Amino acid sequence: GQQVMQIPQYQHVQEGEDFTTYCNSSTTLSNIQWYKQRPGGHPVFLIQLVKSGEVKKQKRLTFQFGEAKKNSSLHITATQTTDVGTYFCAGQRYGGSQGNLIFGKGTKLSVKP
Amino acid sequence: GAGVSQSPRYKVAKRGQDVALRCDPISGHVSLFWYQQALGQGPEFLTYFQNEAQLDKSGLPSDRFFAERPEGSVSTLKIQRTQQEDSAVYLCASSLTFSTSGIYEQYFGPGTRLTVT
């Protein structure tokens, strides 16, 4: 069935280092969303990517959607302790139910001050 | 304004008991989603509604799970004859409506942590 794989599962960085998480789908996606979940919290929407090759930036965060619309990445420049949390990608496949988002297992980021 | 609220926040049930989990979406949000999140995993889709219509229930794990949204606002997820494997956080999310390109951002509630003993 439809799968969205995310790597790495965990990432430990020193404050100020960069961080990247990658998301790969077995099938073409119509769009992909990214969420952040702080420890003990609930997922919070970050961004939605729709177009092939799309790149969007939010301050230190850069999101990319692959040309084939099967992969995506989130890059954080110069991490801060406030970036700690688990980052999830969530994809919607073509032809699937409009409401059915497939979440990856997430990348848990820890930042050492 | 008020976000998505869920109640109860924590529920302990003995195996075999029935439970009902409530979700109050953001006022005016057309779409409502239920997810199950096991420890250390991503949310897994259970079902979703557009207004009162349940358009997809393909993620419900068994016929012991039932969801409703009779008036297109508050929703209830019911689990009958709970089993230990039902222990998880149940997240509810709502969104304003669907865009032509897919889904508007989903606003998640704090979740209900269900523990079945």
Side-chain angles (χ1 to χ4, degrees):
Chain A
Q2 169 76 16
Q3 281 195 335
V4 172
M5 308 299 292
Q6 234 181 304
I7 56 169
Q9 192 174 358
Y10 302 96
Q11 186 76 55
H12 309 280
V13 300
Q14 192 76 34
E15 189 172 22
E17 291 181 338
D18 293 355
F19 158 77
T20 305
T21 173
Y22 300 90
C23 185
N24 293 289
S25 168
S26 54
T27 58
T28 305
L29 301 171
S30 67
N31 65 82
I32 196 159
Q33 299 183 5
W34 284 90
Y35 289 82
K36 176 183 178 181
Q37 187 171 23
R38 293 181 185 274
H42 55 274
V44 174
F45 176 85
L46 293 176
I47 208 154
Q48 176 171 311
L49 304 171
V50 177
K51 298 176 184 174
S52 169
E54 189 168 16
V55 178
K56 286 189 177 179
K57 293 191 176 185
Q58 288 179 352
K59 296 182 180 178
R60 295 178 295 104
L61 277 61
T62 302
F63 304 84
Q64 290 190 311
F65 201 9
E67 293 290 341
K69 301 183 74 173
K70 285 187 175 182
N71 56 73
S72 182
S73 65
L74 158 59
H75 179 82
I76 302 178
T77 304
T79 53
Q80 301 175 358
T81 54
T82 52
D83 296 325
V84 163
T86 301
Y87 292 85
F88 294 99
C89 62
Q92 184 190 8
R93 63 183 174 94
Y94 282 107
S97 158
Q98 277 195 305
N100 192 333
L101 271 183
I102 312 296
F103 277 77
K105 291 190 175 182
T107 296
K108 187 173 183 178
L109 172 65
S110 62
V111 179
K112 187 175 179 182
Chain B
V4 178
S5 61
Q6 291 186 246
S7 60
R9 291 292 312 279
Y10 303 91
K11 177 70 179 177
V12 178
K14 288 200 163 108
R15 189 161 55 94
Q17 278 186 332
D18 297 351
V19 298
L21 313 180
R22 178 187 168 108
C23 173
D24 284 83
I26 294 172
S27 177
H29 276 197
V30 169
S31 302
L32 185 145
F33 310 83
W34 283 99
Y35 294 89
Q36 182 190 61
Q37 186 173 26
L39 191 63
Q41 303 293 314
E44 285 204 23
F45 171 82
L46 294 177
T47 185
Y48 94 93
F49 295 82
Q50 199 163 346
N51 296 307
E52 69 279 2
Q54 189 175 20
L55 298 186
D56 187 346
K57 54 182 181 178
S58 63
L60 296 176
S62 75
D63 58 9
R64 295 186 295 104
F65 287 70
F66 172 77
E68 60 183 3
R69 193 186 185 198
E71 296 178 0
S73 55
V74 171
S75 177
T76 304
L77 176 67
K78 296 178 180 177
I79 309 174
Q80 296 178 324
R81 305 181 303 282
T82 52
Q83 304 294 317
Q84 282 194 318
E85 61 263 28
D86 299 334
S87 296
V89 174
Y90 290 86
L91 293 165
C92 173
S94 69
S95 69
L96 188 56
T97 188
F98 291 119
S99 68
T100 54
S101 59
I103 309 171
Y104 279 134
E105 60 185 278
Q106 296 188 21
Y107 294 83
F108 281 82
T112 294
R113 183 177 296 278
L114 173 65
T115 303
V116 182
T117 60

Short mmCIF file of all heavy atoms in Angstrom, two decimals, chain B residues 13-69:
data_model
loop_
_atom_site.label_atom_id
_atom_site.label_comp_id
_atom_site.label_asym_id
_atom_site.label_seq_id
_atom_site.Cartn_x
_atom_site.Cartn_y
_atom_site.Cartn_z
N ALA B 13 -9.34 2.61 30.21
CA ALA B 13 -10.46 1.69 30.08
C ALA B 13 -10.00 0.27 30.33
O ALA B 13 -8.86 -0.09 29.98
CB ALA B 13 -11.07 1.79 28.68
N LYS B 14 -10.86 -0.50 30.92
CA LYS B 14 -10.55 -1.93 31.08
C LYS B 14 -10.88 -2.62 29.75
O LYS B 14 -11.84 -2.24 29.05
CB LYS B 14 -11.38 -2.52 32.20
CG LYS B 14 -10.95 -2.07 33.58
CD LYS B 14 -11.44 -3.03 34.66
CE LYS B 14 -10.65 -2.76 35.92
NZ LYS B 14 -11.38 -2.13 36.95
N ARG B 15 -10.11 -3.62 29.45
CA ARG B 15 -10.33 -4.38 28.21
C ARG B 15 -11.77 -4.85 28.15
O ARG B 15 -12.30 -5.41 29.11
CB ARG B 15 -9.37 -5.55 28.15
CG ARG B 15 -9.35 -6.29 26.82
CD ARG B 15 -8.07 -7.12 26.68
NE ARG B 15 -7.89 -8.02 27.80
CZ ARG B 15 -8.29 -9.29 27.81
NH1 ARG B 15 -8.93 -9.78 26.78
NH2 ARG B 15 -8.07 -10.05 28.85
N GLY B 16 -12.41 -4.57 27.02
CA GLY B 16 -13.80 -4.98 26.83
C GLY B 16 -14.79 -3.84 27.03
O GLY B 16 -15.95 -3.96 26.63
N GLN B 17 -14.34 -2.75 27.62
CA GLN B 17 -15.23 -1.61 27.83
C GLN B 17 -15.39 -0.82 26.53
O GLN B 17 -14.53 -0.86 25.65
CB GLN B 17 -14.65 -0.66 28.89
CG GLN B 17 -14.90 -1.07 30.31
CD GLN B 17 -14.42 -0.03 31.32
OE1 GLN B 17 -13.49 0.73 31.05
NE2 GLN B 17 -15.04 -0.01 32.49
N ASP B 18 -16.50 -0.09 26.44
CA ASP B 18 -16.71 0.82 25.33
C ASP B 18 -16.25 2.22 25.74
O ASP B 18 -16.39 2.61 26.92
CB ASP B 18 -18.19 0.89 24.97
CG ASP B 18 -18.73 -0.44 24.48
OD1 ASP B 18 -17.93 -1.37 24.25
OD2 ASP B 18 -19.96 -0.55 24.33
N VAL B 19 -15.70 2.98 24.80
CA VAL B 19 -15.30 4.36 25.08
C VAL B 19 -15.83 5.28 24.00
O VAL B 19 -16.08 4.85 22.86
CB VAL B 19 -13.76 4.53 25.20
CG1 VAL B 19 -13.21 3.70 26.35
CG2 VAL B 19 -13.07 4.21 23.90
N ALA B 20 -16.01 6.55 24.36
CA ALA B 20 -16.45 7.58 23.40
C ALA B 20 -15.54 8.78 23.56
O ALA B 20 -15.39 9.31 24.66
CB ALA B 20 -17.90 7.96 23.65
N LEU B 21 -14.95 9.19 22.47
CA LEU B 21 -14.02 10.32 22.45
C LEU B 21 -14.66 11.45 21.65
O LEU B 21 -15.15 11.23 20.54
CB LEU B 21 -12.68 9.90 21.81
CG LEU B 21 -12.09 8.58 22.30
CD1 LEU B 21 -10.78 8.29 21.59
CD2 LEU B 21 -11.90 8.58 23.80
N ARG B 22 -14.59 12.65 22.22
CA ARG B 22 -15.29 13.78 21.62
C ARG B 22 -14.31 14.78 21.00
O ARG B 22 -13.22 15.01 21.53
CB ARG B 22 -16.13 14.48 22.68
CG ARG B 22 -16.87 15.71 22.22
CD ARG B 22 -17.53 16.44 23.38
NE ARG B 22 -17.99 17.75 22.99
CZ ARG B 22 -19.28 18.07 22.82
NH1 ARG B 22 -20.22 17.16 23.01
NH2 ARG B 22 -19.61 19.30 22.47
N CYS B 23 -14.74 15.37 19.89
CA CYS B 23 -13.94 16.39 19.23
C CYS B 23 -14.82 17.59 18.91
O CYS B 23 -15.88 17.44 18.27
CB CYS B 23 -13.32 15.85 17.95
SG CYS B 23 -12.48 17.11 16.95
N ASP B 24 -14.39 18.77 19.33
CA ASP B 24 -15.04 20.02 18.97
C ASP B 24 -14.15 20.76 18.00
O ASP B 24 -13.11 21.30 18.40
CB ASP B 24 -15.29 20.89 20.20
CG ASP B 24 -16.44 20.41 21.03
OD1 ASP B 24 -16.25 19.49 21.85
OD2 ASP B 24 -17.54 20.95 20.84
N PRO B 25 -14.50 20.81 16.73
CA PRO B 25 -13.61 21.47 15.76
C PRO B 25 -13.72 22.98 15.87
O PRO B 25 -14.57 23.51 16.60
CB PRO B 25 -14.17 20.99 14.42
CG PRO B 25 -15.63 20.79 14.69
CD PRO B 25 -15.71 20.30 16.11
N ILE B 26 -12.86 23.66 15.14
CA ILE B 26 -12.94 25.11 15.06
C ILE B 26 -14.25 25.48 14.36
O ILE B 26 -14.63 24.85 13.35
CB ILE B 26 -11.73 25.67 14.31
CG1 ILE B 26 -10.45 25.42 15.13
CG2 ILE B 26 -11.90 27.17 14.01
CD1 ILE B 26 -9.15 25.76 14.42
N SER B 27 -14.94 26.46 14.92
CA SER B 27 -16.24 26.85 14.38
C SER B 27 -16.14 27.22 12.91
O SER B 27 -15.25 27.98 12.50
CB SER B 27 -16.77 28.05 15.17
OG SER B 27 -17.99 28.50 14.64
N GLY B 28 -17.03 26.64 12.12
CA GLY B 28 -17.05 26.95 10.69
C GLY B 28 -16.18 26.04 9.84
O GLY B 28 -16.23 26.10 8.61
N HIS B 29 -15.39 25.19 10.47
CA HIS B 29 -14.55 24.27 9.69
C HIS B 29 -15.41 23.14 9.14
O HIS B 29 -16.13 22.45 9.86
CB HIS B 29 -13.42 23.71 10.55
CG HIS B 29 -12.23 24.62 10.60
ND1 HIS B 29 -10.98 24.21 11.01
CD2 HIS B 29 -12.11 25.93 10.28
CE1 HIS B 29 -10.14 25.21 10.92
NE2 HIS B 29 -10.80 26.27 10.50
N VAL B 30 -15.29 22.95 7.84
CA VAL B 30 -16.14 21.99 7.14
C VAL B 30 -15.63 20.56 7.33
O VAL B 30 -16.40 19.64 7.49
CB VAL B 30 -16.19 22.36 5.64
CG1 VAL B 30 -16.83 21.25 4.82
CG2 VAL B 30 -16.90 23.69 5.44
N SER B 31 -14.33 20.41 7.28
CA SER B 31 -13.74 19.07 7.29
C SER B 31 -13.21 18.71 8.66
O SER B 31 -12.64 19.54 9.37
CB SER B 31 -12.59 19.02 6.27
OG SER B 31 -13.07 19.35 4.99
N LEU B 32 -13.39 17.44 9.00
CA LEU B 32 -12.94 16.95 10.30
C LEU B 32 -12.32 15.57 10.09
O LEU B 32 -12.84 14.74 9.35
CB LEU B 32 -14.12 16.86 11.27
CG LEU B 32 -13.80 16.46 12.71
CD1 LEU B 32 -14.71 17.18 13.69
CD2 LEU B 32 -13.86 14.97 12.93
N PHE B 33 -11.18 15.37 10.76
CA PHE B 33 -10.38 14.16 10.56
C PHE B 33 -10.09 13.52 11.92
O PHE B 33 -9.88 14.22 12.90
CB PHE B 33 -9.04 14.51 9.91
CG PHE B 33 -9.16 15.38 8.68
CD1 PHE B 33 -9.27 16.75 8.79
CD2 PHE B 33 -9.13 14.82 7.42
CE1 PHE B 33 -9.37 17.56 7.67
CE2 PHE B 33 -9.24 15.62 6.29
CZ PHE B 33 -9.36 16.98 6.42
N TRP B 34 -10.03 12.21 11.93
CA TRP B 34 -9.57 11.46 13.10
C TRP B 34 -8.32 10.69 12.72
O TRP B 34 -8.26 10.05 11.65
CB TRP B 34 -10.63 10.48 13.58
CG TRP B 34 -11.76 11.09 14.35
CD1 TRP B 34 -13.00 11.43 13.89
CD2 TRP B 34 -11.76 11.43 15.75
NE1 TRP B 34 -13.77 11.95 14.91
CE2 TRP B 34 -13.04 11.95 16.06
CE3 TRP B 34 -10.81 11.32 16.78
CZ2 TRP B 34 -13.39 12.38 17.34
CZ3 TRP B 34 -11.16 11.75 18.05
CH2 TRP B 34 -12.44 12.28 18.32
N TYR B 35 -7.34 10.72 13.64
CA TYR B 35 -6.10 9.98 13.47
C TYR B 35 -5.80 9.20 14.74
O TYR B 35 -6.20 9.60 15.84
CB TYR B 35 -4.92 10.93 13.22
CG TYR B 35 -4.97 11.71 11.92
CD1 TYR B 35 -5.62 12.94 11.85
CD2 TYR B 35 -4.36 11.22 10.77
CE1 TYR B 35 -5.65 13.65 10.66
CE2 TYR B 35 -4.38 11.92 9.58
CZ TYR B 35 -5.04 13.14 9.54
OH TYR B 35 -5.07 13.85 8.36
N GLN B 36 -5.04 8.13 14.58
CA GLN B 36 -4.53 7.36 15.70
C GLN B 36 -3.01 7.49 15.69
O GLN B 36 -2.38 7.27 14.65
CB GLN B 36 -4.93 5.89 15.56
CG GLN B 36 -4.49 4.99 16.70
CD GLN B 36 -4.72 3.53 16.38
OE1 GLN B 36 -4.16 3.00 15.41
NE2 GLN B 36 -5.56 2.86 17.16
N GLN B 37 -2.42 7.87 16.83
CA GLN B 37 -0.97 8.00 16.89
C GLN B 37 -0.42 7.12 18.00
O GLN B 37 -0.66 7.37 19.19
CB GLN B 37 -0.55 9.46 17.11
CG GLN B 37 0.95 9.66 17.01
CD GLN B 37 1.38 11.12 17.06
OE1 GLN B 37 0.70 11.96 17.62
NE2 GLN B 37 2.53 11.43 16.45
N ALA B 38 0.31 6.10 17.61
CA ALA B 38 0.99 5.25 18.57
C ALA B 38 2.28 5.94 18.99
O ALA B 38 2.81 6.81 18.29
CB ALA B 38 1.28 3.89 17.94
N LEU B 39 2.83 5.51 20.11
CA LEU B 39 4.02 6.14 20.66
C LEU B 39 5.18 6.05 19.67
O LEU B 39 5.49 4.98 19.15
CB LEU B 39 4.40 5.44 21.97
CG LEU B 39 5.48 6.12 22.81
CD1 LEU B 39 5.00 7.49 23.27
CD2 LEU B 39 5.84 5.26 24.01
N GLY B 40 5.78 7.18 19.37
CA GLY B 40 6.93 7.20 18.49
C GLY B 40 6.61 7.05 17.00
O GLY B 40 7.51 6.87 16.19
N GLN B 41 5.34 7.13 16.67
CA GLN B 41 4.92 6.97 15.28
C GLN B 41 4.22 8.24 14.78
O GLN B 41 3.87 9.12 15.56
CB GLN B 41 3.95 5.79 15.14
CG GLN B 41 4.50 4.47 15.63
CD GLN B 41 5.64 3.98 14.77
OE1 GLN B 41 5.59 3.99 13.55
NE2 GLN B 41 6.72 3.54 15.42
N GLY B 42 4.02 8.29 13.47
CA GLY B 42 3.25 9.39 12.92
C GLY B 42 1.76 9.11 13.03
O GLY B 42 1.35 7.97 13.24
N PRO B 43 0.95 10.16 12.93
CA PRO B 43 -0.50 9.95 12.96
C PRO B 43 -0.94 9.04 11.81
O PRO B 43 -0.44 9.18 10.69
CB PRO B 43 -1.06 11.36 12.78
CG PRO B 43 0.04 12.28 13.19
CD PRO B 43 1.31 11.58 12.81
N GLU B 44 -1.87 8.14 12.09
CA GLU B 44 -2.43 7.27 11.06
C GLU B 44 -3.89 7.64 10.84
O GLU B 44 -4.67 7.66 11.80
CB GLU B 44 -2.29 5.81 11.46
CG GLU B 44 -0.89 5.29 11.31
CD GLU B 44 -0.83 3.78 11.14
OE1 GLU B 44 -1.82 3.18 10.70
OE2 GLU B 44 0.24 3.23 11.44
N PHE B 45 -4.22 7.87 9.60
CA PHE B 45 -5.58 8.28 9.24
C PHE B 45 -6.60 7.22 9.63
O PHE B 45 -6.40 6.02 9.40
CB PHE B 45 -5.63 8.51 7.73
CG PHE B 45 -7.00 8.73 7.17
CD1 PHE B 45 -7.60 9.97 7.24
CD2 PHE B 45 -7.70 7.68 6.58
CE1 PHE B 45 -8.87 10.17 6.72
CE2 PHE B 45 -8.97 7.88 6.06
CZ PHE B 45 -9.56 9.12 6.13
N LEU B 46 -7.68 7.67 10.22
CA LEU B 46 -8.80 6.76 10.54
C LEU B 46 -10.00 7.05 9.64
O LEU B 46 -10.50 6.17 8.95
CB LEU B 46 -9.21 6.92 12.00
CG LEU B 46 -8.19 6.49 13.06
CD1 LEU B 46 -8.72 6.79 14.46
CD2 LEU B 46 -7.86 5.01 12.92
N THR B 47 -10.46 8.31 9.68
CA THR B 47 -11.68 8.64 8.94
C THR B 47 -11.78 10.15 8.79
O THR B 47 -11.10 10.89 9.51
CB THR B 47 -12.92 8.10 9.66
OG1 THR B 47 -14.09 8.33 8.88
CG2 THR B 47 -13.11 8.76 11.03
N TYR B 48 -12.62 10.60 7.83
CA TYR B 48 -12.87 12.03 7.76
C TYR B 48 -14.27 12.34 7.29
O TYR B 48 -14.93 11.52 6.64
CB TYR B 48 -11.82 12.75 6.91
CG TYR B 48 -12.17 12.96 5.46
CD1 TYR B 48 -12.76 14.14 5.03
CD2 TYR B 48 -11.85 11.99 4.52
CE1 TYR B 48 -13.05 14.33 3.70
CE2 TYR B 48 -12.13 12.17 3.18
CZ TYR B 48 -12.74 13.35 2.77
OH TYR B 48 -13.03 13.54 1.44
N PHE B 49 -14.70 13.53 7.68
CA PHE B 49 -16.04 14.03 7.38
C PHE B 49 -15.94 15.34 6.64
O PHE B 49 -15.06 16.15 6.89
CB PHE B 49 -16.82 14.30 8.68
CG PHE B 49 -17.11 13.09 9.50
CD1 PHE B 49 -16.16 12.57 10.36
CD2 PHE B 49 -18.36 12.46 9.42
CE1 PHE B 49 -16.44 11.44 11.13
CE2 PHE B 49 -18.64 11.35 10.18
CZ PHE B 49 -17.68 10.84 11.04
N GLN B 50 -16.88 15.53 5.74
CA GLN B 50 -17.11 16.85 5.18
C GLN B 50 -18.52 17.21 5.60
O GLN B 50 -19.49 16.55 5.16
CB GLN B 50 -16.94 16.83 3.66
CG GLN B 50 -16.71 18.20 3.08
CD GLN B 50 -16.13 18.14 1.67
OE1 GLN B 50 -15.67 17.10 1.23
NE2 GLN B 50 -16.17 19.25 0.97
N ASN B 51 -18.64 18.20 6.45
CA ASN B 51 -19.90 18.47 7.14
C ASN B 51 -20.33 17.20 7.87
O ASN B 51 -19.53 16.62 8.58
CB ASN B 51 -20.95 18.99 6.15
CG ASN B 51 -20.55 20.33 5.56
OD1 ASN B 51 -20.25 21.27 6.29
ND2 ASN B 51 -20.52 20.41 4.24
N GLU B 52 -21.55 16.74 7.65
CA GLU B 52 -22.00 15.55 8.39
C GLU B 52 -21.72 14.26 7.63
O GLU B 52 -21.94 13.17 8.16
CB GLU B 52 -23.49 15.67 8.72
CG GLU B 52 -24.42 15.59 7.53
CD GLU B 52 -24.54 16.89 6.78
OE1 GLU B 52 -23.87 17.88 7.15
OE2 GLU B 52 -25.30 16.94 5.79
N ALA B 53 -21.24 14.37 6.42
CA ALA B 53 -21.02 13.19 5.60
C ALA B 53 -19.65 12.57 5.87
O ALA B 53 -18.63 13.25 5.79
CB ALA B 53 -21.14 13.57 4.12
N GLN B 54 -19.66 11.29 6.17
CA GLN B 54 -18.41 10.56 6.37
C GLN B 54 -17.95 10.06 5.01
O GLN B 54 -18.51 9.10 4.47
CB GLN B 54 -18.63 9.39 7.33
CG GLN B 54 -17.34 8.70 7.76
CD GLN B 54 -17.58 7.63 8.82
OE1 GLN B 54 -18.69 7.15 8.99
NE2 GLN B 54 -16.54 7.27 9.56
N LEU B 55 -16.95 10.72 4.45
CA LEU B 55 -16.54 10.45 3.07
C LEU B 55 -15.51 9.35 2.94
O LEU B 55 -15.32 8.79 1.86
CB LEU B 55 -16.03 11.72 2.41
CG LEU B 55 -17.04 12.86 2.30
CD1 LEU B 55 -16.45 14.02 1.50
CD2 LEU B 55 -18.34 12.38 1.66
N ASP B 56 -14.81 9.06 4.02
CA ASP B 56 -13.79 8.02 3.95
C ASP B 56 -13.61 7.44 5.34
O ASP B 56 -13.34 8.17 6.29
CB ASP B 56 -12.46 8.60 3.43
CG ASP B 56 -11.39 7.54 3.17
OD1 ASP B 56 -11.54 6.38 3.62
OD2 ASP B 56 -10.38 7.87 2.52
N LYS B 57 -13.83 6.15 5.47
CA LYS B 57 -13.59 5.49 6.76
C LYS B 57 -12.65 4.30 6.57
O LYS B 57 -12.66 3.36 7.36
CB LYS B 57 -14.90 5.07 7.42
CG LYS B 57 -15.81 4.20 6.57
CD LYS B 57 -17.09 3.90 7.34
CE LYS B 57 -18.01 3.01 6.52
NZ LYS B 57 -19.25 2.66 7.26
N SER B 58 -11.86 4.38 5.54
CA SER B 58 -10.99 3.26 5.18
C SER B 58 -9.91 2.98 6.22
O SER B 58 -9.36 1.89 6.27
CB SER B 58 -10.33 3.52 3.83
OG SER B 58 -9.50 4.66 3.88
N GLY B 59 -9.59 3.96 7.08
CA GLY B 59 -8.54 3.76 8.06
C GLY B 59 -9.01 3.16 9.38
O GLY B 59 -8.19 2.82 10.23
N LEU B 60 -10.29 3.03 9.56
CA LEU B 60 -10.79 2.45 10.81
C LEU B 60 -10.31 1.00 10.90
O LEU B 60 -10.55 0.21 9.98
CB LEU B 60 -12.31 2.51 10.87
CG LEU B 60 -12.91 3.92 10.91
CD1 LEU B 60 -14.42 3.88 10.88
CD2 LEU B 60 -12.42 4.68 12.15
N PRO B 61 -9.65 0.62 12.00
CA PRO B 61 -8.98 -0.70 12.06
C PRO B 61 -9.94 -1.89 12.07
O PRO B 61 -9.55 -2.97 11.63
CB PRO B 61 -8.18 -0.64 13.36
CG PRO B 61 -8.27 0.73 13.88
CD PRO B 61 -9.38 1.43 13.21
N SER B 62 -11.12 -1.69 12.62
CA SER B 62 -12.06 -2.82 12.69
C SER B 62 -13.47 -2.27 12.85
O SER B 62 -13.66 -1.06 13.01
CB SER B 62 -11.71 -3.73 13.87
OG SER B 62 -12.11 -3.13 15.09
N ASP B 63 -14.42 -3.16 12.81
CA ASP B 63 -15.81 -2.72 12.97
C ASP B 63 -16.13 -2.35 14.42
O ASP B 63 -17.25 -1.98 14.73
CB ASP B 63 -16.79 -3.77 12.43
CG ASP B 63 -16.63 -5.11 13.12
OD1 ASP B 63 -15.88 -5.19 14.12
OD2 ASP B 63 -17.25 -6.08 12.66
N ARG B 64 -15.12 -2.42 15.29
CA ARG B 64 -15.35 -1.95 16.66
C ARG B 64 -15.24 -0.41 16.73
O ARG B 64 -15.63 0.18 17.73
CB ARG B 64 -14.31 -2.56 17.61
CG ARG B 64 -14.41 -4.07 17.75
CD ARG B 64 -13.45 -4.61 18.83
NE ARG B 64 -12.05 -4.40 18.47
CZ ARG B 64 -11.28 -3.47 19.01
NH1 ARG B 64 -11.76 -2.65 19.93
NH2 ARG B 64 -10.00 -3.36 18.64
N PHE B 65 -14.69 0.17 15.68
CA PHE B 65 -14.51 1.62 15.63
C PHE B 65 -15.64 2.25 14.81
O PHE B 65 -15.95 1.79 13.71
CB PHE B 65 -13.17 1.97 14.99
CG PHE B 65 -11.97 1.69 15.84
CD1 PHE B 65 -11.58 0.38 16.11
CD2 PHE B 65 -11.23 2.72 16.39
CE1 PHE B 65 -10.47 0.12 16.90
CE2 PHE B 65 -10.11 2.46 17.17
CZ PHE B 65 -9.73 1.16 17.43
N PHE B 66 -16.20 3.31 15.37
CA PHE B 66 -17.31 3.98 14.71
C PHE B 66 -17.20 5.47 14.97
O PHE B 66 -16.92 5.89 16.09
CB PHE B 66 -18.63 3.42 15.28
CG PHE B 66 -19.85 4.16 14.83
CD1 PHE B 66 -20.36 3.97 13.56
CD2 PHE B 66 -20.50 5.04 15.68
CE1 PHE B 66 -21.49 4.64 13.14
CE2 PHE B 66 -21.63 5.73 15.27
CZ PHE B 66 -22.12 5.53 14.01
N ALA B 67 -17.41 6.28 13.95
CA ALA B 67 -17.34 7.73 14.13
C ALA B 67 -18.59 8.36 13.55
O ALA B 67 -19.17 7.86 12.58
CB ALA B 67 -16.10 8.30 13.45
N GLU B 68 -18.99 9.47 14.16
CA GLU B 68 -20.16 10.18 13.66
C GLU B 68 -19.98 11.67 13.85
O GLU B 68 -19.22 12.12 14.73
CB GLU B 68 -21.43 9.70 14.36
CG GLU B 68 -21.43 9.89 15.86
CD GLU B 68 -22.68 9.33 16.51
OE1 GLU B 68 -23.53 8.74 15.82
OE2 GLU B 68 -22.81 9.51 17.74
N ARG B 69 -20.72 12.42 13.05
CA ARG B 69 -20.71 13.88 13.13
C ARG B 69 -22.10 14.34 12.67
O ARG B 69 -22.27 14.91 11.61
CB ARG B 69 -19.62 14.44 12.21
CG ARG B 69 -19.31 15.91 12.45
CD ARG B 69 -18.33 16.46 11.40
NE ARG B 69 -17.93 17.82 11.69
CZ ARG B 69 -17.39 18.63 10.79
NH1 ARG B 69 -17.17 18.21 9.55
NH2 ARG B 69 -17.03 19.85 11.13
#
